[in-house]
Amino acid sequence: MPRIAYVNGRYVPHREAAVHVEDRGFQFADSVYEVIALMGGKLADEVGHLDRLERSLKELRIAMPRSRRAMQFAIREMVRRNRIRDGMIYMQVTRGTAPRDFKFPSKGASTLVMTLYPASYDIPARKAAVKKAVTVPDIRWKRRDIKTTALIAQVLAKQAAAEKGAYEAWMVDDKGYVTEGSSSNAWIVDKKGNLITRPTANNTILKGVTRSALQALCKKEKIKIVERPFTVAEAYKAKEAFTSSAVALIAPVVEIDGKKIGNGKAGDLTCKVLDLYMDYATDEHRRQERWNPK
Ligand code: PDD
């Protein structure tokens, strides 16, 4: 069964899928993206990710490539044609193809590409995995609220992590506070059992769809979340630490910069919120949250 990709309305073999060399996504990273987890054939937080995609496009004045309905249809068609039940669907939208010029082109349509990758959602294995993080300076631009494909700072951060045997890099601002992971939001648990995560105000981080879902779930469960920046020093001393993202879901972090967090295993609260998220994301009868950009 060949893998299928989607390029501007066509379903094509993955190895032949291509955009033009003058596509602005390639030339300028003039593009945004979204990732949705597919779990047991169900799309986790689809509405939230499409809400955020629309917002990222609006912020950059890139036209929606298709109506939301058409995009939802194409996502399902990708799932059907690839016969994948557990995976991740990537959607990338660029400002389209035009002769190279920094200014917006006066005409032309956005490019829409979708790719689907298999993944495994073995939750016991994820809880048992020893996931390490390292800290790196956050060298990104100031509009981190937009999910752009201009990811070179994150590429360098992830590489630095990989070279130290870690899976994630927690990026740190000039004042010593953690902003977020290179492809995830960062969380710690303090001694009182409060969840602490950086606020999304001032556009210093991406407002994660998984993060928003967790906020709503914790509210219902009366688990206290304190939205405030935390330092690297605080993270070293935290009872638990984890990241949230559509790809890694809730991923325990058991070591930061070589320092053991808690007892060096996935924390109880981390496991609890992972279970809550899985129930929510895979329950087709439960209406999934809309993503609130504010
Ligand atoms: N990344 N922060 C950054 C910088 C991210 O790239 C991501 C997601 C998140 C978490 O957002 P969400 O919960 O909506 O996935 C936070 C995706 C998974 C990626 O780049 O592959």
Side-chain angles (χ1 to χ4, degrees):
M1 243 268 308
R3 274 182 71 196
I4 303 295
Y6 171 101
V7 184
N8 289 331
R10 294 177 54 230
Y11 299 90
V12 290
H14 190 270
R15 63 178 178 281
E16 289 163 27
V19 293
H20 195 273
V21 286
E22 288 204 297
D23 189 280
R24 292 179 63 94
F26 176 66
Q27 293 283 350
F28 301 112
D30 187 1
S31 42
V32 303
Y33 76 113
E34 274 302 329
V35 193
I36 306 179
L38 175 73
M39 299 180 197
K42 291 172 201 137
L43 294 157
D45 270 321
E46 179 191 18
V47 171
H49 287 284
L50 292 175
D51 285 348
R52 192 175 58 190
L53 179 70
E54 282 183 8
R55 187 212 177 238
S56 295
L57 290 169
K58 204 163 147 234
E59 289 298 308
L60 297 179
R61 294 197 280 152
I62 299 176
M64 238 330 237
R66 297 274 184 285
S67 69
R68 185 184 273 235
R69 258 179 88 90
M71 288 191 56
Q72 288 180 302
F73 176 82
I75 293 170
R76 279 158 186 76
E77 197 53 20
M78 280 286 285
V79 172
R80 192 183 71 76
R81 290 185 189 226
N82 282 285
R83 294 196 201 156
I84 287 180
R85 290 186 58 76
D86 290 309
M88 294 166 303
I89 184 140
Y90 276 77
M91 285 166 281
Q92 313 218 167
V93 182
T94 83
R95 204 183 301 274
T97 297
R100 195 177 193 285
D101 183 356
F102 282 78
K103 301 188 300 295
F104 296 175
S106 52
K107 57 180 186 336
S110 316
T111 298
L112 171 61
V113 172
M114 290 193 208
T115 41
L116 180 53
Y117 300 87
S120 153
Y121 297 104
D122 178 342
I123 299 307
R126 283 178 184 241
K127 287 180 185 167
V130 178
K131 293 225 172 189
K132 301 177 183 176
V134 295
T135 57
V136 297
D138 194 335
I139 59 169
R140 297 175 299 161
W141 74 330
K142 292 183 180 160
R143 289 301 309 272
R144 300 166 188 161
D145 55 313
I146 302 172
K147 195 163 172 61
T148 149
T149 65
L151 292 168
I152 188 62
Q154 283 99 313
V155 166
L156 297 175
K158 266 296 200 243
Q159 182 61 22
E163 286 172 8
K164 290 185 179 152
Y167 100 101
E168 183 56 302
W170 279 15
M171 298 181 285
V172 180
D173 68 17
D174 293 345
K175 297 195 175 104
Y177 290 93
V178 173
T179 51
E180 60 185 330
S182 58
S183 63
S184 59
N185 288 122
W187 301 69
I188 56 171
V189 178
D190 70 9
K191 298 279 179 271
K192 291 185 197 147
N194 294 324
L195 290 176
I196 301 174
T197 197
R198 188 178 176 108
T200 54
N202 305 328
N203 304 332
T204 59
I205 62 168
L206 183 73
K207 185 171 173 150
V209 174
T210 320
R211 178 188 182 283
S212 298
L214 263 195
Q215 282 180 308
L217 290 168
C218 286
K219 202 169 168 195
K220 277 182 211 146
E221 294 291 319
K222 306 217 170 2
I223 298 169
K224 194 167 172 205
I225 298 181
V226 181
E227 273 193 285
R228 66 160 176 85
F230 60 87
T231 62
V232 175
E234 258 184 286
Y236 290 159
K237 289 197 213 113
K239 205 166 149 196
E240 304 178 23
F242 64 88
T243 62
S244 66
S245 77
V247 169
L249 311 176
I250 314 302
V253 173
V254 299
E255 197 183 293
I256 302 173
D257 292 336
K259 293 174 181 60
K260 196 159 85 172
I261 307 302
N263 63 3
K265 296 203 179 98
D268 292 343
L269 193 50
T270 305
C271 292
K272 180 166 180 175
V273 294
L274 171 56
D275 291 339
L276 284 175
Y277 184 75
M278 286 308 290
D279 285 349
Y280 155 82
T282 56
D283 180 353
E284 56 193 336
H285 302 299
R286 189 188 301 207
R287 217 166 52 84
Q288 297 192 356
E289 307 288 335
R290 279 202 83 93
W291 179 82
N292 171 9
K294 294 280 154 27

